[in-house]
Amino acid sequence: MEKYFYPESTVVVGVSESEDNLGQDIISNLVNFGYSGKIYAVGPKGGSIMGHKIYTSVLDVPAAADLAVILTPARFIPEIMTQCGKKGIKHAVIESAGFREMGKEGYRVEKDLLAASKRFGIRFIGPNCVGLINTLNGLYVPFIELPSEFKKGNVSVMSQSGGIGLSLAERLNNPGLGLSKFVSMGNKLNMDEADILAYLIKDPHTAVIYCYLEDFKRGRDFADIALRSSKPIILHKSNTNPLSHTIARSHTAALAVDDKIVDVVCTHAGVVRVQSIEEAIFAIKGISMPLLYGKNLAILSRSGGHSVVAADMCATYGFNLPQLHPGILEEAKSHFRAGVINIGNPLDLGDIFDLHIYSQIAEKILQQHDIHGIVYIHVSQMVIENEDSIQLMKKLTELSLKYDKPIAIVAEVPLSFQQMLMEKITHSFFMDPVEAFRALALQYRYASFRQKKSHTVKEVAFPLQDNAKIWIEEIQQKGRQPLLHEALDLLDRLGIPTATWRMVTSFSEARKAANEMGYPVVIKAVAPSLLHKSDQGGIAINVRNSESLEKQWEEIHSRFKDIIGIVLQKMIFASREIIVGAKRDPSFGPVVLVGMGGIMVEVMQDVSMRLAPVSEDEANEMIDQLQGAKVLGPFRGMKAADRRAAVQCLVEVSHLMHHIPEIQEIDVNPLILSDDGNDGMALDAQIICSNVTSQ
Amino acid sequence: MEKYFYPESTVVVGVSESEDNLGQDIISNLVNFGYSGKIYAVGPKGGSIMGHKIYTSVLDVPAAADLAVILTPARFIPEIMTQCGKKGIKHAVIESAGFREMGKEGYRVEKDLLAASKRFGIRFIGPNCVGLINTLNGLYVPFIELPSEFKKGNVSVMSQSGGIGLSLAERLNNPGLGLSKFVSMGNKLNMDEADILAYLIKDPHTAVIYCYLEDFKRGRDFADIALRSSKPIILHKSNTNPLSHTIARSHTAALAVDDKIVDVVCTHAGVVRVQSIEEAIFAIKGISMPLLYGKNLAILSRSGGHSVVAADMCATYGFNLPQLHPGILEEAKSHFRAGVINIGNPLDLGDIFDLHIYSQIAEKILQQHDIHGIVYIHVSQMVIENEDSIQLMKKLTELSLKYDKPIAIVAEVPLSFQQMLMEKITHSFFMDPVEAFRALALQYRYASFRQKKSHTVKEVAFPLQDNAKIWIEEIQQKGRQPLLHEALDLLDRLGIPTATWRMVTSFSEARKAANEMGYPVVIKAVAPSLLHKSDQGGIAINVRNSESLEKQWEEIHSRFKDIIGIVLQKMIFASREIIVGAKRDPSFGPVVLVGMGGIMVEVMQDVSMRLAPVSEDEANEMIDQLQGAKVLGPFRGMKAADRRAAVQCLVEVSHLMHHIPEIQEIDVNPLILSDDGNDGMALDAQIICSNVTSQ
């Protein structure tokens, strides 16, 4: 991708002398912001622009350019790409709209474009985008005449929307921030989010990556690349609900994905997800500070009220406020003027008027082992303090770097002084305590991910793979979806505990099985028409004796014409149950989930998800993250539930999904947990496969 | 309170010529900001300041002032108040700290201060505050030398913290905002939040009230005054959790209150609660626009990406995006230049370059009956558009007022243009779409409250009051907390359905009662030692026959030495249960709550609360607001639960709490709901009264 950002020559296609021509803006941006490579303009009417001749065809350009930037009506683009190909141009940015997002005609043009690109091996960004920027060499190719250069820095922006990307870039024009590279990805017809991320994580001039997406083209690849990144990635994924799906589709032809899976991917790959540009800036500011390797903060403020509010926010964002060492408190107190303020954490410095003492106290606090960071709320109304305030803020930033702990500085100061700070301070600070806490909370999420030991993509052993392969082959031979007994059979083959069960096809077999198991029993009809769980009529529970069994047998047989047998199970009474499930996402591949059984999952949608496969540790983590996890501990006089079966089921199901691509969905519901020393077990399961008819 | 804000003369006590004297700042603020009343300075060392003589005692001041502002060490204040009293001064602001919040010695001084205030009938604000401001007449008495006047406007600030109040006031220095009156309340030893609110809701120069509190001194009075207010009140209540309790106590001697009740009060009184200064500003901006009388928005933007993000936010904040009339869409399309954008709601105007057309389209949208407001995201990078952009923003504000529907304008523009807008625009706008949606969501909360028909404090009829009074007298005569049978008896007296029950004191009585009711039955020991629910050993359920009854009878009697009888109930099987409870909050009086029974309340803390008394409608609303309310509708093949008993119980319990102040707590748990056409019923209850020993 080097050629995209460091081209020695750039040809801009779609330029004319006409006043409202947008191609002109591309030329003027390149000229104004000091692009040092060669610039060639192309447009059918010829002429010249800013001293550059406008060639009437790409073929007429005197040399093969490294990069073509194309902004013409969509219908001409396949031909222009062909000309680029003939000319030996291998990299293009197509800014024009009017493709897939505009319907049928757009699809046709798109097909021709792809054919031309393939024929000549041209890779391209877009279409339907505002192009690229590299602040390091003045490569500015957006078709919008920008008022000024962006501030240089080490944040790179990759955005599916040009508007969002430019808004974010604009906000990097702030102390401590700045833009490195910018890519507007548009429809991602050729170069997609995975390609660009792969480049940016290696780019030496990029330290932080902001990524705005409306959909994923290669979700799993993106996740895998992100997982390998040593740089923080901030993901702003929109198009999360029905209200935005239509507009996203018409905007960048984006399709909706299950938004919960996006969260799962972020957890998996250590990506910090944000919901707005504003929050992205908080995250970038947060991550630009030394990382928080723990949740213990100290709050320093000159205002008691701000200290109270900040302490509340600590609780809201999950931070702690440990006691400060008595020596620190005594030192603070020794500088108090009126002695009318109590001391603690938060530490109210309102009684100390000499700002130099503030940094001395802050340094002592940074030395305290169990404090991981500081929030300092600077409240000042007095103009005469401005110079000292600036010195204090600089000193605090030095200390933060020296001790490798973040100090989030909040400037609660008059507007005029804020503006002065914007000019004089070269590191990030915050205008409101909420912003500081949000920034710290976001960076803590990243820091905790970094602290975990291993993030390499693991090759996962699945010793029972052969059992699963045999099973899926049998199902495929049958040419229909697996039925209940087949689903339970697969669980058995994977070593997942199931309640004792027997598939029976005659009443005498049923009676024999029930006698062997002991009453009461449960019977479940096995019939292709019963594949959808909502049909409830196929089950009889708590069958207590053989008369009752016979009655139920007959009733069930009369109800389902396609019945092929009955699964008979020992009736199990259990107080706690969970569900385990898995599905295959078109963009991200297999995902596994666990939920509290019964009402908790139905009403509260209390589930926890991960990309498959998962380890035992991850399975335990998933269960801990359920809102209702408390129910599984000692509860209402019951002992803690035995989780072994749940963990085992999660791990095995996740491996199964990873290794057997024909399985689309698995639903183990319920899986009961015991609290009497016995193992838990699955009572019911449904599996949906691909490439078989679903009746 | 008029004298506080419009004093014709003000005496400042605690002034000296010494360089670090804070009293000087009060004088200079008054002089600099044009206070037109007489200013008298008082300080023991005499001298003069800014041309004003410093009198050595209040008694020496040549005339009785309307207002005394006192900033001396705390220990001198009782004497100064005495001097004020002798001089005929009736209003004081005590800015000094060093009272209750500093411990024992502070308490003593406080007692003397109160005595002096009472003796002379002096009302005072503070102590431990930064004083008052009235921007209309230049009355600025904070002891901080302010760099400039605050921008005049119609927002009044009442704040328990001076620092928070001043930060908020500073942020009113923004387009469309401005400060009217400012009160720092400090320890609220005399004038409290209810006094000041009562004044501000009547003040003709106040349109919006911002109130920062760390505790409530007269919570219920505050709620009642707020309920009568025709002006929006924005409450920023901090000190909400253990991390902030200590600092709040040392800051303004604030005590913690149950934070959930604060939310309840806000719902009750139509107060908009915010969690930060930032959010308060969003609320004020939101409320300054015409109110949203519905949840349907239109989004206009020049950027597709911003439209997608805004549509997501609509969903996040609970707004809808109805279809725009085809005529509007066609009109928009007729102005498109390249025709490469689809149309809908959000409406992407990126293809229209003439900004005049934007306001035409906006006007048509405002005329659409089912659109209640607009969010317009202005994206502009081009300097040549600045003037047109300003005109457009002004025009949109005019239209908003003309059609009485809000248009929230978001300026996604370069920093330099933002600064220009801050100078040239005189109404509120937003710097980020999130801010606009938060502002609209906050104002919608207020608008919906205003739309409800009646908010007068209703005198509530409670025909069964006499039954309740007889009951409480009986309990008080017994001199102990009511036992189970007495609690059930009260429910019966109030007409709340209970499961058939009988208090029995001999086994023969028990057997007779069980035979009459029919087995199975439940027996519950009645013993003073069982008043705490956690003791589980006093109950036997599902007792199926008289042998079993006898066995359980004996077991229970052997277990509880102080047993005085047994409550025998018919065993009831039910699938859905709730709990109803009530308690008396020291600051807000009686509060009633409902929660889903069983695991939902235990694990999810799924409860809904209101100030008592409540009407049937409110009771139904409370139930609807439970997260698990879905369970009460048609669910898992069951019909919708019959709510009558639940509603009746909530209403009667709330009336009981309102009329019988001796009852401190009521807990009806469980109350089962039926789905078979029968009424629900309470199975168990516990009541705690005041003025009786609790064993």
Side-chain angles (χ1 to χ4, degrees), chain A residues 304-511:
Chain A
H306 284 289
S307 299
V308 175
V309 170
D312 281 343
M313 284 175 198
C314 266
T316 303
Y317 291 98
F319 293 110
N320 311 312
L321 292 171
Q323 292 294 311
L324 299 179
H325 286 163
I328 297 172
L329 299 178
E330 283 315 307
E331 158 127 25
K333 207 158 190 173
S334 73
H335 296 288
F336 276 15
R337 202 161 79 162
V340 291
I341 292 180
N342 280 301
I343 51 173
N345 182 14
L347 182 55
D348 185 346
L349 301 175
D351 215 7
I352 302 178
F353 288 69
D354 178 356
L355 293 181
H356 295 96
I357 295 164
Y358 288 36
S359 53
Q360 290 168 28
I361 294 171
E363 180 159 16
K364 294 240 163 71
I365 293 174
L366 290 172
Q367 288 164 353
Q368 184 171 327
H369 188 67
D370 64 345
I371 296 287
H372 304 113
I374 293 179
V375 175
Y376 171 60
I377 302 171
H378 187 70
V379 178
S380 172
Q381 300 285 344
M382 289 177 279
V383 176
I384 49 160
E385 278 190 340
N386 286 1
E387 198 42 53
D388 281 354
S389 297
I390 290 169
Q391 289 314 316
L392 171 62
M393 288 169 69
K394 287 184 175 169
K395 180 71 188 167
L396 290 177
T397 306
E398 281 168 36
L399 289 172
S400 164
L401 295 173
K402 178 174 168 192
Y403 290 94
D404 195 28
K405 293 178 178 181
I407 303 186
I409 300 172
V410 182
E412 275 287 353
V413 297
L415 207 60
S416 54
F417 185 43
Q418 267 185 22
Q419 280 156 6
M420 189 191 298
L421 289 177
M422 296 287 281
E423 285 159 27
K424 299 214 171 172
I425 298 287
T426 55
H427 50 266
S428 288
F429 62 94
F430 301 91
M431 299 299 191
D432 191 289
V434 181
E435 295 179 4
F437 282 98
R438 289 177 70 185
L440 288 175
L442 289 162
Q443 74 117 288
Y444 179 72
R445 219 187 285 164
Y446 177 68
S448 351
F449 177 80
R450 289 294 294 268
Q451 267 186 300
K452 285 195 196 165
K453 304 241 156 44
S454 139
H455 292 296
T456 46
V457 187
K458 48 194 180 271
E459 239 340 289
V460 191
F462 182 40
L464 300 167
Q465 195 169 349
D466 288 343
N467 294 359
K469 282 199 172 143
I470 294 166
W471 181 88
I472 190 75
E473 278 162 19
E474 287 171 10
I475 293 298
Q476 285 178 316
Q477 278 162 16
K478 287 177 185 158
R480 57 153 174 75
Q481 293 296 349
L483 298 171
L484 173 59
H485 63 299
E486 291 155 343
L488 291 171
D489 175 41
L490 177 58
L491 300 189
D492 286 346
R493 292 186 198 209
L494 296 178
I496 298 167
T498 55
T500 308
W501 65 277
R502 199 80 55 78
M503 171 72 170
V504 291
T505 51
S506 71
F507 179 68
S508 61
E509 252 187 298
R511 191 166 44 194

Side-chain angles (χ1 to χ4, degrees), chain A residues 168-220:
Chain A
L168 193 286
E170 183 57 47
R171 296 208 207 170
L172 294 176
N173 183 22
N174 259 304
L177 308 177
L179 181 67
S180 176
K181 297 189 171 62
F182 172 99
V183 193
S184 162
M185 297 180 284
N187 290 10
K188 304 188 294 190
L189 195 56
N190 183 261
M191 296 288 283
D192 62 29
E193 68 277 359
D195 296 313
I196 294 166
L197 184 67
Y199 174 77
L200 291 177
I201 67 169
K202 287 188 192 147
D203 174 37
H205 301 292
T206 296
V208 178
I209 298 158
Y210 165 82
C211 177
Y212 171 82
L213 292 177
E214 294 179 1
D215 69 356
F216 284 91
K217 202 171 157 201
R218 284 196 290 147
R220 187 69 192 227

Side-chain angles (χ1 to χ4, degrees), chain B residues 128-347:
Chain B
N128 190 13
C129 71
V130 304
L132 309 168
I133 293 170
N134 182 354
T135 58
L136 276 77
N137 63 358
L139 181 82
Y140 278 73
V141 306
F143 57 82
I144 294 157
E145 195 179 350
L146 296 167
S148 57
E149 263 187 288
F150 288 108
K151 186 181 166 201
K152 289 185 180 67
N154 59 18
V155 180
S156 285
V157 171
M158 49 186 279
S159 175
Q160 195 160 348
S161 153
I164 296 284
L166 290 173
S167 286
L168 193 286
E170 182 59 47
R171 297 208 207 170
L172 295 175
N173 183 22
N174 259 304
L177 308 178
L179 180 68
S180 176
K181 296 187 172 62
F182 172 98
V183 194
S184 161
M185 297 181 284
N187 290 10
K188 304 189 293 191
L189 196 54
N190 183 259
M191 297 287 284
D192 62 30
E193 67 277 359
D195 297 313
I196 294 166
L197 185 68
Y199 174 77
L200 291 177
I201 67 169
K202 288 189 190 145
D203 173 38
H205 302 291
T206 296
V208 178
I209 298 157
Y210 165 81
C211 176
Y212 171 81
L213 292 177
E214 294 178 1
D215 68 356
F216 284 91
K217 203 172 157 199
R218 285 195 290 145
R220 187 68 194 228
D221 291 344
F222 182 90
D224 288 343
I225 294 163
L227 188 62
R228 289 197 306 268
S229 170
S230 62
K231 297 171 186 172
I233 298 163
I234 291 154
L235 175 65
H236 180 186
K237 165 70 178 61
S238 70
N239 185 20
T240 58
N241 72 79
L243 286 186
S244 52
H245 293 342
T246 312
I247 176 88
R249 196 175 182 117
S250 78
H251 174 230
T252 56
L255 297 172
V257 299
D258 182 342
D259 199 57
K260 276 190 192 147
I261 296 183
V262 177
D263 285 333
V264 168
V265 167
C266 290
T267 307
H268 168 81
V271 168
V272 178
R273 186 170 185 190
V274 296
Q275 302 294 347
S276 65
I277 295 177
E278 185 189 46
E279 196 175 26
I281 293 294
F282 299 154
I284 294 168
K285 283 183 171 183
I287 281 170
S288 309
M289 295 187 278
L291 293 181
L292 262 180
Y293 286 114
K295 304 196 97 180
N296 293 346
L297 297 180
I299 294 172
L300 299 181
S301 168
R302 304 180 83 180
S303 150
H306 284 289
S307 299
V308 175
V309 170
D312 280 344
M313 285 176 197
C314 265
T316 302
Y317 291 99
F319 293 110
N320 311 313
L321 292 172
Q323 292 293 313
L324 298 179
H325 286 164
I328 297 172
L329 298 178
E330 284 314 309
E331 158 127 24
K333 207 160 189 170
S334 72
H335 295 289
F336 275 15
R337 201 160 81 162
V340 291
I341 291 180
N342 280 300
I343 52 173
N345 184 13
L347 183 54

